[in-house]
Amino acid sequence: MSKVTEIVRINKFSKEEIIYLLGVQGEEQNKLFQLASETKLKHVGNKVYLRGLIEMSNICAKNCLYCGIRKDNTKIERYLLTSAEVIEAAKFAFDNNYGSIVLQSGELNSETFISYVESLVLEIKKLSDGQLGITLSCGEQTEETYHRWFNAGAHRYLLRIESSNKALYEKIHPIDSLHSYETRINCLSSLQKTGYQVGTGVMIGLPFQTLEDLADDLLFMQKMDIDMCGMGPYLEHNDTPLFAYTGELIPLKERFYLSLKMVAILRLMMKDINIAATTALQTIDAMGREKALKIGANIFMPNITPKKYRENYKLYENKPCTDENPADCANCIEARICIAGCEIAKDEWGDSKHFTNKNNKTHP
Ligand code: SAH
Ligand code: SF4
């Protein structure tokens, strides 16, 4: 029996074993992918759930050292979608049977922003007669704000830990109160307490990052008992401070396979969570998202941001689909999911089975 098969059979993923799995190549890597694929089919099925992604605003108060829309990048034009534009995008998702949307933006903490998001959530719920699921990804907020948005109707939240290693976190963020590792952890706890299905994730192939860090990231997600995960390769952006370390990065192809292995291992460790096939994977490999769906991911996020804004929401270079309209993406999705051998879920929220399972356990 191969070592990969043995680790999966015993179903105990210690740090040492995860590091081993992150390093497998060739036949062993294929085995890892095959076992993760089987686990996915067994625990969450072959359906892919859609979340129409609305990149609502690129205005951000933060200066994360890796991100193309960081506050100090003066080379981009800042925008905030009008409420009519957001509603139109949400209607598009609803009419195309996507089931759910994600509202994502730069991070702002002003009352104007908070109440704007709140009113959008209320309106989207109204237009779809409560049928469209809403995920938010608007960064760190107070527990009170998380409550307000939850009460308005959002029920899932994405906030990546980026790296669970505090020292590495501090190397990729400015060291100040606005970029605190502790705050990020507290926000994840507040979100769980509020009642959201909570998603987190990391960037893979960051400068200074080791396989040990990535193993710890997976253990962190398990310990936090997260419901969803979105993770993908770190991709450099010219106009960011972290670009200076480009020469020290592992090659793109390696970053890609490391990301797929992270998805596969997480699927084996947390069998019933939702895992997204992220856009960053497609930046490296045209079939990147399909490959992730095959080996463990079950969520796909078609971009439904109006075309004219996409150029200015480049978190990293060469982001795909920036010259397309929501309708172009809609045509492409069906083909992509079909190629991956999966079935598209229509008009379904596709909530995290893990969330349901753990709540049934706590409240029998
Ligand atoms: N402001 C919100 C949401 C937008 S950023 C937040 O920070 O949570 C969404 C994600 O984009 C981040 O969590 C980060 O992991 C990812 N991202 C940003 N810059 C990136 C880069 N250069 N390469 C890969 N992913 C990046
Ligand atoms: Fe702002 Fe999010 Fe980018 Fe950080 S990662 S600069 S919070 S948009």
Side-chain angles (χ1 to χ4, degrees):
M1 193 185 289
S2 77
K3 189 163 173 190
V4 171
T5 314
E6 183 60 16
I7 294 172
V8 175
R9 190 182 66 81
I10 297 171
N11 196 26
K12 205 172 144 273
F13 297 88
S14 67
K15 185 163 167 180
E16 198 188 357
E17 265 115 27
I18 299 171
I19 292 173
Y20 177 81
L21 293 175
L22 286 170
V24 293
Q25 307 279 342
E27 271 314 299
E28 283 222 289
Q29 181 176 277
N30 292 342
K31 190 75 204 168
L32 170 67
F33 290 163
Q34 183 206 328
L35 293 171
S37 169
E38 288 167 14
T39 300
K40 174 189 128 168
L41 289 180
K42 187 165 164 211
H43 292 268
V44 294
N46 197 29
K47 275 192 188 168
V48 173
Y49 299 96
L50 304 178
R51 280 77 174 104
L53 175 64
I54 306 173
E55 295 159 337
M56 186 176 56
S57 164
N58 66 355
I59 305 170
C60 190
K62 285 174 105 164
N63 257 320
C64 305
L65 303 181
Y66 44 82
C67 179
I69 65 168
R70 64 198 299 274
K71 185 179 173 210
D72 285 356
N73 182 9
T74 51
K75 292 196 183 161
I76 56 169
E77 217 178 290
R78 301 287 166 174
Y79 72 82
L80 171 70
L81 258 61
T82 62
S83 109
E85 285 167 330
V86 173
I87 298 306
E88 193 191 336
K91 268 207 185 106
F92 177 88
F94 190 52
D95 294 342
N96 283 274
N97 317 99
Y98 284 5
S100 292
I101 55 140
V102 179
L103 281 183
Q104 191 178 75
S105 69
E107 189 178 307
L108 289 178
N109 306 114
S110 64
E111 175 52 34
T112 318
F113 178 75
I114 294 164
S115 55
Y116 183 53
V117 173
E118 189 177 32
S119 67
L120 290 173
V121 172
L122 286 168
E123 265 190 79
I124 294 167
K125 278 285 161 191
K126 206 161 118 200
L127 83 88
S128 67
D129 209 9
Q131 288 180 58
L132 212 45
I134 303 178
T135 306
L136 294 178
S137 176
C138 304
E140 293 170 9
Q141 303 289 341
T142 63
E143 198 164 307
E144 190 208 334
T145 300
Y146 288 147
H147 266 289
R148 276 174 68 180
W149 292 346
F150 185 78
N151 291 339
H155 76 297
R156 294 185 289 239
Y157 204 101
L158 300 171
L159 182 68
R160 289 184 176 180
I161 185 69
E162 316 295 0
S163 169
S164 64
N165 176 337
K166 185 169 186 283
L168 178 52
Y169 189 93
E170 287 172 355
K171 280 189 186 149
I172 61 168
H173 294 97
I175 303 183
D176 59 27
S177 58
L178 200 58
H179 301 83
S180 138
Y181 178 79
E182 284 75 21
T183 307
R184 172 99 11 168
I185 302 267
N186 291 340
C187 282
L188 286 170
S189 300
S190 297
L191 287 163
Q192 286 179 320
K193 234 169 56 193
T194 306
Y196 286 97
Q197 293 172 45
V198 178
T200 194
V202 294
M203 284 176 285
I204 298 151
L206 283 163
F208 324 111
Q209 192 181 45
T210 63
L211 288 189
E212 203 177 321
D213 291 327
L214 291 170
D216 280 333
D217 289 339
L218 294 176
L219 290 166
F220 169 87
M221 294 184 214
Q222 192 173 47
K223 188 162 154 251
M224 286 294 291
D225 204 16
I226 55 149
D227 308 300
M228 324 179 291
C229 177
M231 58 185 167
Y234 160 67
L235 297 162
E236 52 275 50
H237 190 296
N238 259 301
D239 306 313
T240 62
L242 220 59
F243 190 75
Y245 298 92
T246 296
E248 292 172 32
L249 300 175
I250 57 170
L252 279 177
K253 200 165 166 212
E254 229 175 279
R255 254 180 271 173
F256 178 76
Y257 278 100
L258 200 50
S259 302
L260 287 188
K261 283 187 263 188
M262 286 287 281
V263 168
I265 301 167
L266 185 64
R267 171 59 69 204
L268 292 164
M269 292 171 69
M270 301 190 77
K271 299 176 173 44
D272 55 358
I273 63 168
N274 279 345
I275 304 180
T278 56
T279 314
L281 288 164
Q282 195 183 325
T283 307
I284 303 184
D285 181 321
M287 298 293 284
R289 289 197 280 183
E290 292 75 351
K291 287 180 183 167
L293 290 177
K294 269 196 179 146
I295 57 98
N298 67 329
I299 302 293
F300 196 95
M301 294 160 70
N303 197 331
I304 54 168
T305 310
K307 180 178 166 182
K308 67 174 174 179
Y309 296 110
R310 295 191 188 189
E311 189 59 30
N312 285 313
Y313 199 85
K314 283 197 175 158
L315 306 168
Y316 44 81
E317 302 285 345
N318 305 318
K319 190 161 166 258
C321 315
T322 47
D323 57 351
E324 287 178 10
N325 267 313
D328 303 325
C329 292
N331 290 334
C332 167
I333 297 157
E334 214 146 329
R336 286 186 177 274
I337 294 176
C338 216
I339 289 168
C342 303
E343 190 191 325
I344 304 183
K346 298 217 161 143
D347 296 315
E348 289 185 59
W349 281 7
D351 277 343
S352 163
K353 289 202 167 56
H354 185 74
F355 184 80
T356 320
N357 291 343
K358 83 182 173 198
N359 285 333
N360 285 346
K361 248 188 249 162
T362 1
H363 312 290

